[in-house]
Amino acid sequence: MESKKLTFTETIDLRNKYVGKSCELFYKKNPLKIVRGQAQYLYDQDGREYLDCINNVAHVGHCHPDVVRAGIEQMQQLNTNSRFLHDNLVVCAEKIVSKMPESLSVCFFVNSGSEANDLALRLARQHTGNTDVITLDHAYHGHLTSLIDISPYKLNLPGAPKKPDHVHVAPVPDVYRGKIRADDHPDEDMGKLYALEVKKIIDENVIGQRGQQVCAFIAESLQSCGGQIILPHNYLRDVYTYVREAGGVCIADEVQVGFGRSGTHYWAFQIDGPDVLPDIVTIGKPMGNGHPVAAVITTEAVARSFEATGIQYFNTYGGNPVSCAIAIAVMTAVDEERLVDNAKDVGGYLLSELENMQRRFPDVIGDVRGVGLFVGVELIKDPKTKTPATVEARDVVDRMKDEFRILVSSDGPDVNVIKLKPPMVFSRANADRFLKAFKTLISEIRTQRFQLL
């Protein structure tokens, strides 16, 4: 039976009545009603095409035919409780583990990135016997209560719950705008300097004040909601050492940035070298190309500690046949279509052109940073003070959609960073389309400022 077709106005009215404002829209002033997607494009109710520069969830492209086919064919055969044996579960687990460092060999399936990070905390607490968690400022790890507690991206908002005493917030290693800036420390190891901030928390807050050992350090391998932050060289390497020396385990949150988005490695924690090894990795979102499937991968030692509790882990549909069939198809598409190479090629080109634009407009573009198809452009009002151009960033987001039919978003603590994390099929032609439109708007911002002088 075909579902009822609603007009745009009916959709808005029913949303306001039954959903309300708790489910946030990308575009509040002039919202989009998207009815179809294909590859790196989205289509509204009137058939207008939009270039999608923000949907990292549709990792191999919207409605990828092989992924859709895998889900349909498996759903026609069986979708049932994951407590039964099924080939898809073990094949999917084997494929994921084969892409991990050798020490990460045990896979738990869940339904979402939030579930994955919650389970990661449970594993860490059981393995270490400790409770204190170190997280990064502006980090976001999920919507469960346990994860809001370690997500300053939410805790920093007005009306947010109080940060628990067992949670400790380290400064985000933002070398452009953070606590320690590259401008103030030329030729110094920024990763080492920021890692020492974590050691200070361990020595003074966890051990010194609370008399505890560390349970876990958790960080997104590339911080997304916090403003597309690229962790400086040596940061994770040194932090992981300090945390392990203090009795803790290291959790790499790859929910938004895994599966080759960096363009050089399958997992973003690998960027800094093969010796950077987390104890627990969480993945989600891109794994199912939008289908609800996620996973936790850990070491045998951590898994054995969890098993020893006698509290069996159970997730009714985590790792069900349909979800695993879809995840297998996604990973197959990444490999066969050489999408990691595409991220390196297109992302490198996009980053280079944006850096050229930054040199031309240094009074509007303060910083350009990224790896692969994970790029951030920080807009400013003044290059000396680095005052965030929050209003201009919001205007860029809206005008890119309304005038050029290109979808981007803004984020970061000052909401002045234009974020680009498109489907991995994003092409050089797509990059050129974005760059042409973006340059037009950046030029207008500069012109308007001169007119006001």
Side-chain angles (χ1 to χ4, degrees):
M1 181 179 176
E2 187 176 355
S3 60
K4 179 184 177 183
K5 300 291 185 182
L6 302 175
T7 66
F8 185 85
T9 302
E10 287 174 332
T11 302
I12 291 290
D13 291 344
L14 289 174
R15 181 186 174 92
N16 291 337
K17 181 177 180 179
Y18 295 115
V19 180
K21 297 181 180 180
S22 60
C23 185
E24 190 174 355
L25 289 166
F26 264 125
Y27 304 98
K28 299 182 182 69
K29 186 168 64 176
N30 187 17
L32 278 179
K33 181 178 178 181
I34 297 297
V35 299
R36 186 169 69 88
Q38 187 63 49
Q40 62 270 55
Y41 302 102
L42 292 170
Y43 301 84
D44 69 10
Q45 77 281 359
D46 296 318
R48 289 183 290 254
E49 179 185 275
Y50 295 83
L51 176 62
D52 184 359
C53 298
I54 54 178
N55 229 309
N56 63 310
V57 178
H59 192 65
V60 297
H62 295 280
C63 300
H64 190 289
D66 293 342
V67 175
V68 171
R69 188 180 305 111
I72 290 172
E73 290 179 355
Q74 183 55 55
M75 195 174 292
Q76 288 174 331
Q77 295 177 31
L78 176 71
N79 191 30
T80 188
N81 191 301
S82 58
R83 284 195 179 186
F84 295 106
L85 287 173
H86 196 279
D87 290 352
N88 285 1
L89 188 148
V90 294
V91 170
C92 186
E94 182 182 41
K95 196 169 184 66
I96 291 170
V97 168
S98 73
K99 298 181 179 299
M100 290 282 173
E102 187 176 355
S103 61
L104 293 161
S105 59
V106 181
C107 188
F108 296 82
F109 286 107
V110 294
N111 297 307
S112 69
S114 290
E115 281 193 0
N117 281 329
D118 180 74
L119 177 57
L121 291 179
R122 287 180 60 191
L123 292 169
R125 286 168 180 154
Q126 179 57 37
H127 183 66
T128 65
N130 305 324
T131 58
D132 284 44
V133 176
I134 301 172
T135 187
L136 295 183
D137 203 6
H138 312 306
Y140 178 66
H141 295 291
H143 60 78
L144 301 181
T145 300
S146 62
L147 305 174
I148 294 296
D149 285 347
I150 61 169
S151 295
Y153 181 73
K154 296 294 186 182
L155 292 175
N156 292 339
L157 295 173
K162 181 182 177 183
K163 178 184 71 63
D165 291 340
H166 70 271
V167 175
H168 310 275
V169 180
V172 59
D174 177 357
V175 301
Y176 174 73
R177 183 185 291 282
K179 179 179 180 179
I180 306 170
R181 301 182 177 185
D183 290 347
D184 301 324
H185 297 269
D187 303 319
E188 292 190 60
D189 187 334
M190 299 301 292
K192 185 175 289 294
L193 292 178
Y194 267 111
L196 287 171
E197 293 291 313
V198 176
K199 189 176 190 304
K200 183 178 178 180
I201 288 174
I202 293 171
D203 294 341
E204 296 182 5
N205 294 15
V206 182
I207 297 174
Q209 293 183 17
R210 284 177 53 81
Q212 305 289 322
Q213 285 190 304
V214 176
C215 169
F217 168 82
I218 183 170
E220 301 158 87
S221 302
L222 302 168
Q223 194 181 73
S224 181
C225 293
Q228 304 294 87
I229 303 300
I230 310 302
L231 306 185
H233 180 60
N234 283 328
Y235 178 72
L236 284 182
R237 179 178 289 107
D238 288 355
V239 168
Y240 283 8
T241 297
Y242 298 146
V243 169
R244 290 188 175 116
E245 288 174 349
V249 297
C250 304
I251 303 171
D253 181 340
E254 294 267 336
V255 170
Q256 295 202 51
V257 298
F259 296 89
R261 180 159 293 277
S262 72
T264 56
H265 298 80
Y266 210 81
W267 311 111
F269 68 79
Q270 298 172 314
I271 291 173
D272 211 20
D275 59 321
V276 179
L277 285 172
D279 303 286
I280 303 171
V281 178
T282 58
I283 58 178
K285 296 185 188 299
M287 178 178 173
N289 216 48
H291 184 83
V293 60
V296 178
I297 302 88
T298 189
T299 64
E300 288 190 11
V302 172
R304 281 197 300 269
S305 295
F306 190 65
E307 183 182 356
T309 65
I311 304 174
Q312 296 177 330
Y313 179 73
F314 172 60
N315 190 313
T316 305
Y317 279 94
N320 70 77
V322 172
S323 293
C324 287
I326 289 172
I328 292 167
V330 168
M331 288 183 280
T332 300
V334 170
D335 293 342
E336 292 183 350
E337 297 175 26
R338 301 179 64 85
L339 294 182
V340 181
D341 291 340
N342 186 66
K344 181 179 181 180
D345 174 59
V346 178
Y349 170 71
L350 179 61
L351 195 63
S352 175
E353 291 298 307
L354 284 169
E355 288 169 346
N356 289 337
M357 199 181 300
Q358 192 272 337
R359 284 188 282 271
R360 182 174 176 183
F361 301 99
D363 50 341
V364 181
I365 300 176
D367 192 36
V368 172
R369 49 187 179 257
V371 290
L373 288 174
F374 181 91
V375 176
V377 184
E378 183 151 354
L379 303 189
I380 56 169
K381 291 179 177 292
D382 182 273
K384 292 182 180 179
T385 62
K386 300 182 179 180
T387 304
T390 301
V391 174
E392 289 93 334
R394 181 68 256 176
D395 187 56
V396 166
V397 170
D398 288 337
R399 291 186 64 193
M400 288 289 278
K401 171 182 69 75
D402 294 336
E403 298 176 26
F404 301 99
R405 295 184 188 171
I406 299 173
L407 306 183
V408 298
S409 65
S410 58
D411 218 328
D414 299 298
V415 202
N416 68 316
V417 179
I418 303 300
K419 297 173 63 172
L420 301 170
K421 43 192 181 73
M424 294 277 280
V425 292
F426 203 74
S427 69
R428 281 198 176 216
N430 297 145
D432 283 334
R433 177 179 167 186
F434 163 80
L435 289 163
K436 182 179 179 181
F438 189 64
K439 182 180 178 181
T440 297
L441 298 185
I442 296 300
S443 299
E444 287 187 18
I445 291 173
R446 171 186 270 182
T447 300
Q448 290 167 1
R449 287 181 182 175
F450 279 136
Q451 290 174 346
L452 293 173
L453 294 177

